[in-house]
Amino acid sequence: MEYPKRIMSTAEMSAYTGQRQRYFSELYYFPGQKFAFRRKNSPRSKIYIDTAEYEKWRMRQVKLSQRR
């Protein structure tokens, strides 16, 4: 999937993909992920998604779910 920007906020990702914003916010806490981050070291700052890394992770998740 192609995204309009390399780095997008959770609200932008939600609007673009149709997934709930909470889904992207929860990915920040997913163990081992390397695509969601906060630019400031504050618990109330926005969560951003590196779309290229997210897409790689998403495709790995799809492959893993097809194995079962």
mmCIF file of all heavy atoms in Angstrom, residues 3 8 11-12 14 17 25-26 31 42 44 47-48 68:
data_model
loop_
_atom_site.group_PDB
_atom_site.id
_atom_site.type_symbol
_atom_site.label_atom_id
_atom_site.label_comp_id
_atom_site.label_asym_id
_atom_site.label_seq_id
_atom_site.Cartn_x
_atom_site.Cartn_y
_atom_site.Cartn_z
ATOM 1 N N TYR A 3 1.420 5.258 0.784
ATOM 2 C CA TYR A 3 0.926 6.295 1.675
ATOM 3 C C TYR A 3 1.388 7.649 1.153
ATOM 4 O O TYR A 3 2.459 7.756 0.555
ATOM 5 C CB TYR A 3 1.454 6.060 3.093
ATOM 6 C CG TYR A 3 0.986 4.755 3.677
ATOM 7 C CD1 TYR A 3 1.787 3.617 3.588
ATOM 8 C CD2 TYR A 3 -0.246 4.648 4.288
ATOM 9 C CE1 TYR A 3 1.356 2.402 4.108
ATOM 10 C CE2 TYR A 3 -0.674 3.441 4.816
ATOM 11 C CZ TYR A 3 0.125 2.324 4.721
ATOM 12 O OH TYR A 3 -0.302 1.129 5.234
ATOM 13 N N MET A 8 3.420 9.817 9.326
ATOM 14 C CA MET A 8 2.045 10.301 9.489
ATOM 15 C C MET A 8 1.613 10.136 10.940
ATOM 16 O O MET A 8 2.047 9.207 11.619
ATOM 17 C CB MET A 8 1.097 9.523 8.579
ATOM 18 C CG MET A 8 1.370 9.691 7.100
ATOM 19 S SD MET A 8 0.369 8.634 6.040
ATOM 20 C CE MET A 8 -1.222 9.415 6.188
ATOM 21 N N ALA A 11 -3.939 10.159 13.559
ATOM 22 C CA ALA A 11 -5.170 10.704 12.975
ATOM 23 C C ALA A 11 -5.099 10.664 11.447
ATOM 24 O O ALA A 11 -6.087 10.308 10.783
ATOM 25 C CB ALA A 11 -5.399 12.127 13.456
ATOM 26 N N GLU A 12 -3.958 11.002 10.876
ATOM 27 C CA GLU A 12 -3.789 10.954 9.427
ATOM 28 C C GLU A 12 -3.883 9.514 8.915
ATOM 29 O O GLU A 12 -4.521 9.258 7.887
ATOM 30 C CB GLU A 12 -2.446 11.555 9.017
ATOM 31 C CG GLU A 12 -2.335 13.041 9.236
ATOM 32 C CD GLU A 12 -0.929 13.554 9.001
ATOM 33 O OE1 GLU A 12 0.041 12.870 9.402
ATOM 34 O OE2 GLU A 12 -0.812 14.642 8.415
ATOM 35 N N SER A 14 -5.453 7.057 10.319
ATOM 36 C CA SER A 14 -6.834 6.630 10.469
ATOM 37 C C SER A 14 -7.694 7.147 9.317
ATOM 38 O O SER A 14 -8.484 6.405 8.739
ATOM 39 C CB SER A 14 -7.383 7.140 11.806
ATOM 40 O OG SER A 14 -8.728 6.821 11.938
ATOM 41 N N THR A 17 -6.509 5.203 5.975
ATOM 42 C CA THR A 17 -6.737 3.764 5.866
ATOM 43 C C THR A 17 -8.143 3.314 6.240
ATOM 44 O O THR A 17 -8.554 2.225 5.858
ATOM 45 C CB THR A 17 -5.756 2.981 6.760
ATOM 46 O OG1 THR A 17 -5.998 3.352 8.121
ATOM 47 C CG2 THR A 17 -4.323 3.251 6.389
ATOM 48 N N SER A 25 -2.838 4.006 17.772
ATOM 49 C CA SER A 25 -2.298 4.400 19.070
ATOM 50 C C SER A 25 -1.852 3.184 19.873
ATOM 51 O O SER A 25 -0.817 3.208 20.546
ATOM 52 C CB SER A 25 -3.337 5.191 19.863
ATOM 53 O OG SER A 25 -3.668 6.377 19.200
ATOM 54 N N GLU A 26 -2.605 2.095 19.799
ATOM 55 C CA GLU A 26 -2.255 0.881 20.535
ATOM 56 C C GLU A 26 -1.017 0.202 19.954
ATOM 57 O O GLU A 26 -0.294 -0.484 20.675
ATOM 58 C CB GLU A 26 -3.431 -0.076 20.553
ATOM 59 C CG GLU A 26 -4.565 0.406 21.437
ATOM 60 C CD GLU A 26 -5.807 -0.458 21.360
ATOM 61 O OE1 GLU A 26 -5.857 -1.390 20.539
ATOM 62 O OE2 GLU A 26 -6.743 -0.174 22.137
ATOM 63 N N PRO A 31 4.838 -4.938 21.553
ATOM 64 C CA PRO A 31 6.229 -5.326 21.787
ATOM 65 C C PRO A 31 6.988 -5.572 20.473
ATOM 66 O O PRO A 31 6.486 -6.239 19.576
ATOM 67 C CB PRO A 31 6.119 -6.628 22.575
ATOM 68 C CG PRO A 31 4.726 -6.686 23.070
ATOM 69 C CD PRO A 31 3.893 -5.867 22.149
ATOM 70 N N SER A 42 7.037 13.234 25.931
ATOM 71 C CA SER A 42 5.913 13.523 26.806
ATOM 72 C C SER A 42 4.821 12.479 26.576
ATOM 73 O O SER A 42 4.548 12.101 25.435
ATOM 74 C CB SER A 42 5.369 14.916 26.489
ATOM 75 O OG SER A 42 4.134 15.115 27.124
ATOM 76 N N ARG A 44 1.750 12.856 26.574
ATOM 77 C CA ARG A 44 0.597 13.439 25.881
ATOM 78 C C ARG A 44 0.920 13.895 24.467
ATOM 79 O O ARG A 44 0.060 14.433 23.778
ATOM 80 C CB ARG A 44 0.032 14.603 26.676
ATOM 81 C CG ARG A 44 -0.542 14.162 27.993
ATOM 82 C CD ARG A 44 -1.218 15.310 28.693
ATOM 83 N NE ARG A 44 -1.705 14.872 29.980
ATOM 84 C CZ ARG A 44 -2.987 14.802 30.288
ATOM 85 N NH1 ARG A 44 -3.884 15.133 29.411
ATOM 86 N NH2 ARG A 44 -3.358 14.409 31.472
ATOM 87 N N ILE A 47 1.434 10.477 18.623
ATOM 88 C CA ILE A 47 2.132 9.280 18.162
ATOM 89 C C ILE A 47 2.199 9.353 16.643
ATOM 90 O O ILE A 47 1.203 9.655 15.987
ATOM 91 C CB ILE A 47 1.401 8.002 18.613
ATOM 92 C CG1 ILE A 47 1.407 7.906 20.139
ATOM 93 C CG2 ILE A 47 2.028 6.768 17.981
ATOM 94 C CD1 ILE A 47 0.577 6.777 20.694
ATOM 95 N N TYR A 48 3.377 9.116 16.103
ATOM 96 C CA TYR A 48 3.597 9.144 14.667
ATOM 97 C C TYR A 48 3.952 7.747 14.183
ATOM 98 O O TYR A 48 4.519 6.946 14.914
ATOM 99 C CB TYR A 48 4.723 10.117 14.314
ATOM 100 C CG TYR A 48 4.338 11.554 14.573
ATOM 101 C CD1 TYR A 48 4.614 12.164 15.787
ATOM 102 C CD2 TYR A 48 3.691 12.298 13.595
ATOM 103 C CE1 TYR A 48 4.254 13.469 16.030
ATOM 104 C CE2 TYR A 48 3.330 13.615 13.831
ATOM 105 C CZ TYR A 48 3.612 14.190 15.043
ATOM 106 O OH TYR A 48 3.244 15.490 15.276
ATOM 107 N N ARG A 68 -1.371 -20.117 9.737
ATOM 108 C CA ARG A 68 -2.169 -20.859 10.728
ATOM 109 C C ARG A 68 -3.240 -21.618 10.099
ATOM 110 O O ARG A 68 -3.900 -21.765 9.332
ATOM 111 C CB ARG A 68 -2.749 -19.903 11.744
ATOM 112 C CG ARG A 68 -1.657 -19.238 12.529
ATOM 113 C CD ARG A 68 -2.239 -18.245 13.475
ATOM 114 N NE ARG A 68 -1.130 -17.494 14.059
ATOM 115 C CZ ARG A 68 -1.281 -16.596 14.963
ATOM 116 N NH1 ARG A 68 -2.472 -16.276 15.383
ATOM 117 N NH2 ARG A 68 -0.261 -15.963 15.464
#
